């Protein structure tokens, strides 16, 4: 029965979006089915409203931030969330959960395929916000520990294999140099690029950009998140906990495509995202979804020059 319905929904998707390639229509189809699947829980979610929902996830980090966490938080607000299950060091992301289990030590990007248990299960040109509520990370994690004489500007970078190819969406050293040189007098810049031993990777090998030592020598004013982790280890339970606390005290972000950009979009203010390529552009997610995570102003650049222009207008 499911296969028949999926085939029918694929035809609907193709008719609705005739310009989309075949693979994009599969994304649309899957989201249609996942939303229809929610009718199974109509009485439990809107009539009985007792704690019953267990949400398990160890897929891609970006989708956890944009789809899973808001779904879980909605169930929390609806008083129907019973338990969440995720990866190691995700407890602070699910601070609202009555019972969070850290079960998995790696992420699998195909994990949520064929489950259809989340209304927005994957990328899409449209989103259902009926069972979707952004998690108030800024309000919950704002603190007096990471406060400086100047406002914080966070540069959140990554450098890893993307779609089985060499790194594409990342800030290289010349670009970092231009950004830091321009803004370090005005902001306390904190640079963040987690290593493989600090976060659970998304099955994409993290490579070495060799920028940390370069930053210490060229721009010693810049604080490194990895150094903050060593300095404040007694105050945080994990690197993710540190990120949430530092980000909560900032309204200024420069980030790159992926989970890095999604996390930086959770804290209001302005997030300038460097994204050369990705399905998010096909579905216009940076305009439709990312601002909804906190009301943040999202500016997207596909080139380094466009990135610098956005920074100039925003900061």
């Amino acid at each position: 029965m499911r296969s028949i319905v999926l085939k029918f929904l694929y035809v609907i998707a193709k008719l609705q979006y005739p310009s989309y390639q075949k693979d994009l229509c599969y994304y649309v189809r899957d989201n249609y089915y996942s939303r229809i699947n929610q009718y199974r829980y109509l009485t439990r979610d809107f009539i009985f409203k007792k704690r019953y929902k267990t949400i398990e996830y160890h897929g891609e980090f970006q989708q956890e931030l944009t789809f899973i966490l808001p779904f879980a938080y909605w169930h929390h607000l609806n008083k129907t969330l019973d338990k969440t299950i995720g990866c190691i060091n995700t407890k602070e992301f699910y601070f609202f959960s009555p019972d969070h289990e850290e079960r998995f030590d790696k992420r699998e990007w195909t994990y949520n395929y064929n489950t259809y248990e989340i209304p927005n299960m994957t990328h899409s040109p449209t989103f259902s916000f009926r069972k979707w509520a952004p998690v108030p990370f800024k309000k919950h994690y704002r603190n007096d520990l990471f406060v400086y004489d100047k406002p914080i500007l966070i540069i959140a970078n990554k450098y890893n294999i993307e779609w089985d190819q060499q790194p594409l969406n990342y800030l290289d050293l010349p670009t970092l140099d231009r950004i830091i040189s321009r803004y370090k007098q005005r902001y306390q810049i904190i640079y963040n690029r987690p290593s493989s031993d600090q976060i659970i990777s998304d099955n994409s090998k993290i490579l070495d950009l060799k920028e940390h030592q370069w930053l210490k020598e060229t721009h010693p004013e810049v604080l490194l998140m990895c150094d903050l982790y060593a300095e404040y280890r007694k105050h945080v339970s994990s690197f993710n906990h540190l990120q949430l606390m530092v980000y909560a005290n900032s309204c200024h972000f420069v980030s790159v495509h992926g989970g890095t950009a999604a996390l930086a979009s959770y804290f209001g203010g302005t997030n300038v995202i460097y994204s050369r390529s990705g399905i998010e552009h096909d579905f216009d997610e940076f305009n439709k979804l990312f601002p909804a995570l906190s009301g943040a102003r999202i500016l997207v650049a596909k080139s380094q020059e466009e990135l610098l222009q956005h920074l100039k207008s925003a900061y």
Side-chain angles (χ1 to χ4, degrees):
M1 182 63 181
R2 175 190 288 185
S3 62
I4 296 174
V5 175
L6 287 171
K7 288 179 181 178
F8 174 74
L9 292 176
Y10 177 82
V11 174
I12 296 297
K14 192 62 181 175
L15 290 173
Q16 188 170 7
Y17 301 99
S19 63
Y20 281 0
Q21 297 178 0
K22 184 177 180 179
D23 59 336
L24 296 183
C25 286
Y26 281 120
Y27 285 103
V28 178
R29 177 205 69 176
D30 287 347
N31 275 288
Y32 284 166
Y33 188 85
S34 67
R35 293 167 199 171
I36 292 172
N37 191 49
Q38 286 299 309
Y39 285 102
R40 296 168 51 199
Y41 307 106
L42 187 64
T43 56
R44 280 187 281 183
D45 285 344
F46 298 103
I47 298 176
F48 298 122
K49 299 185 70 169
K50 295 180 180 180
R51 280 176 50 177
Y52 81 95
K53 195 69 173 180
T54 295
I55 298 174
E56 178 180 324
Y57 185 79
H58 62 279
E60 288 186 333
F61 183 48
Q62 176 178 319
Q63 294 189 48
E64 183 165 25
L65 292 168
T66 53
F67 304 142
I68 312 303
L69 275 163
F71 181 58
Y73 192 65
W74 180 88
H75 272 286
H76 160 70
L77 296 176
N78 196 51
K79 303 186 186 305
T80 45
L81 182 64
D82 187 52
K83 182 175 183 177
T84 51
I85 305 170
C87 291
I88 293 171
N89 296 331
T90 55
K91 180 179 65 175
E92 279 69 30
F93 289 124
Y94 294 88
F95 68 85
F96 53 87
S97 176
D99 179 14
H100 182 67
E101 177 185 347
E102 297 182 343
R103 180 182 298 179
F104 307 102
D105 60 2
K106 65 178 181 179
R107 294 181 179 273
E108 298 179 17
W109 69 276
T110 59
Y111 170 73
N112 62 329
Y113 283 16
N114 300 319
T115 59
Y116 304 105
E117 285 297 313
I118 308 297
N120 305 289
M121 65 174 289
T122 187
H123 300 284
S124 177
T126 62
F127 301 96
S128 171
F129 294 102
R130 189 180 187 188
K131 295 182 180 180
W132 191 98
V135 185
F137 286 138
K138 194 177 191 74
K139 179 180 179 180
H140 186 78
Y141 286 107
R142 187 179 290 135
N143 59 87
D144 297 325
L145 194 60
F146 300 102
V147 178
Y148 304 94
D149 293 335
K150 295 179 286 187
I152 296 172
L153 169 61
I154 292 174
I155 300 178
N157 201 7
K158 71 175 183 180
Y159 188 62
N160 55 259
I161 299 297
E162 296 182 80
W163 309 298
D164 296 323
Q165 299 178 14
Q166 290 301 304
L168 177 66
N169 298 297
Y170 71 97
L171 303 174
D172 58 19
L173 267 61
T175 303
L176 287 172
D177 189 46
R178 294 177 70 179
I179 295 173
I180 294 169
S181 296
R182 179 179 292 182
Y183 297 103
K184 66 182 181 181
Q185 299 301 324
R186 196 181 314 167
Y187 297 94
Q188 175 56 67
I189 296 177
I190 298 178
Y191 179 80
N192 184 27
R193 187 175 72 83
S195 62
S196 58
D197 62 342
Q198 292 169 334
I199 59 171
I200 303 295
S201 67
D202 288 353
N203 300 304
S204 298
K205 184 179 180 181
I206 296 177
L207 305 177
D208 188 2
L209 189 56
K210 301 185 185 301
E211 82 279 30
H212 287 94
Q213 187 59 39
W214 171 81
L215 283 167
K216 291 180 179 181
E217 295 173 356
T218 309
H219 299 287
E221 307 92 342
V222 174
L223 297 177
L224 305 182
M225 193 75 82
C226 58
D227 289 344
L228 292 178
Y229 187 47
E231 182 178 353
Y232 292 93
R233 191 66 183 87
K234 294 181 179 180
H235 298 271
V236 297
S237 61
S238 67
F239 192 85
N240 281 332
H241 189 191
L242 173 71
Q243 289 187 108
L244 289 166
M245 291 187 67
V246 175
Y247 281 37
N249 283 11
S250 178
C251 294
H252 310 87
F253 300 88
V254 184
S255 62
V256 297
H257 182 101
T260 302
L263 180 60
S265 299
Y266 254 103
F267 298 88
T270 299
N271 182 20
V272 181
I273 301 173
Y274 181 50
S275 174
R276 294 175 61 188
S277 179
I279 197 171
E280 291 84 351
H281 293 286
D282 295 304
F283 290 146
D284 197 27
E285 292 182 11
F286 291 120
N287 289 318
K288 296 177 180 177
L289 179 61
F290 279 57
L293 293 172
S294 68
R297 178 190 182 195
I298 306 296
L299 301 174
V300 181
K302 287 189 173 183
S303 69
Q304 294 180 359
E305 288 305 318
E306 187 178 12
L307 173 68
L308 294 172
Q309 285 300 316
H310 281 326
L311 289 172
K312 184 178 181 180
S313 67
Y315 303 144

